[in-house]
Every structure is written in C-alpha cells, then in structure tokens.
Amino acid sequence: MARGSHLHITPDLLLRAYASGLFPMADSADDPELFWVEPELRGVLPIDQFHVPRRLQRTIRQSPYEIRVNTAFDEVIARCAESVANRPSTWINSTITELYGSLHRLGHAHSVEAWQGEKLVGGLYGVSLRRAFFGESMFSRATDASKICLVHLVERLRMRGFVLLDTQFTTEHLQRFGVIDVPREEYAVMLAKALEGEDIVFDCQP
C-alpha cells in the first residue's frame, strides 16, 4: 500500500490507477490523505454467474422501490460515507468525495439508487472504464435496498457488454451473490481483457 498526498491525485491519474489495478482509500473519513491499495486477492463478481437468492427474487418481483441511475450521485456517496450503527466508521473522506464527484461529471463514476417516492433509501456507486466496472461502496436505509441496486447493476452491466465487475474485497454479504477471490496475477489478466476496446456508455437506455 503506497501513501501519497491527495493534492497530486487528479481524475485522470485516478483512472490510470484503476487501469493498473490500484484504487485509493483513506484511513478514516477525517483523514484527508489517501493511500493506494492493490490486494493480493481481489474480489470479483462474475457477471454471467451472478446468483440472486430466492427470497430476494421474490422481493424484487414486488417492486418495492423505484430504481434510478445517476440522478443523485453526490447524495449516494454522502450516504455511503455516513456513520451508522452497523458501520461506525468509513474510509470515504472529503478527498474521495471530491475526486469521484469529478469522475461522475466526466462520465466515469455512476450511482444506482433505490427510491421510495422522493426518499433515497439505498444505493451504490462505482467507476466504469471501458468494459470494467469497479464497485466502490453501497448503503441501505430500507430492507434489501442496496441488494436490489446490486441486482440492477449486474443486469445493466450484462446488457451493455461489461466483462469485469470488481468488488475490491470479498465480504460475507457479497459471497451470497457469488463473489470470488482472484489472485493478483489472474486479476491483471482479467483487467487487461476488460480494458480492450472503447468505453461503454453506462447510463444509456437499453
């Protein structure tokens, strides 16, 4: 893990870091510095082998939320950074918030959102680069809201021809959907394949 001043990290450098297998984190929301991370084992969610648990399938059929894309990116990242009972601290600081806001305006960072009326109750955000999507964080303030956003994300990636969904790390939550650990060398091959070709427009209509 390499540390460095956030003053030298630009959106372009951030994209080049993703293309090299790196991503940034902070020690805490209050620490302005970032450090680069390149895990020995990378969390990857195989898009074509994505598993939706049966109970969640039933919930999705009930359409409890309206799913929107890129309508409240700044609010989603702010919610992901919030301290809550089951996640008292996060790695999302003001530097990350600013950087990814810039990536969003450049068309490389996206949010998937769950709404109840005009209330944002869940969501996730990540970075797209050619045929790769790098998931960053998610939040939920209502039952299964973030999980339903993840299902929508995977379907969107599949329909548009993405070949890599990078979750950075594996968690018990993500393992239910089929996430696997990939060694660094194998991940580099997967990433190189995903970076072939042109950028895919993430938020266009099917």
Side-chain angles (χ1 to χ4, degrees), residues 79-162:
R79 294 291 183 87
C80 288
E82 285 179 352
S83 174
V84 293
N86 63 345
R87 186 171 60 179
S89 62
T90 76
W91 49 269
I92 301 173
N93 63 9
S94 59
T95 306
I96 286 176
T97 299
E98 293 170 8
L99 275 171
Y100 286 82
S102 296
L103 280 189
H104 174 64
R105 289 185 287 276
L106 291 171
H108 282 288
H110 310 280
S111 59
V112 180
E113 311 138 13
W115 295 81
Q116 281 185 324
E118 292 307 307
K119 183 178 181 181
L120 179 64
V121 295
L124 58 83
Y125 77 96
V127 173
S128 67
L129 186 60
R130 296 185 183 172
R131 297 191 297 163
F133 190 91
F134 308 89
E136 285 295 319
S137 188
M138 58 175 60
F139 80 96
S140 187
R141 301 291 184 268
T143 303
D144 292 334
S146 63
K147 295 176 184 176
I148 292 174
C149 287
L150 178 60
V151 173
H152 183 93
L153 170 68
V154 173
E155 181 61 22
R156 179 171 284 261
L157 297 179
R158 183 186 294 118
M159 291 176 63
R160 283 156 177 74
F162 283 80

Side-chain angles (χ1 to χ4, degrees), residues 39-51:
E40 287 290 342
L41 290 175
R42 196 69 163 243
V44 171
L45 191 51
I47 294 173
D48 290 332
Q49 300 171 36
F50 181 65
H51 170 71

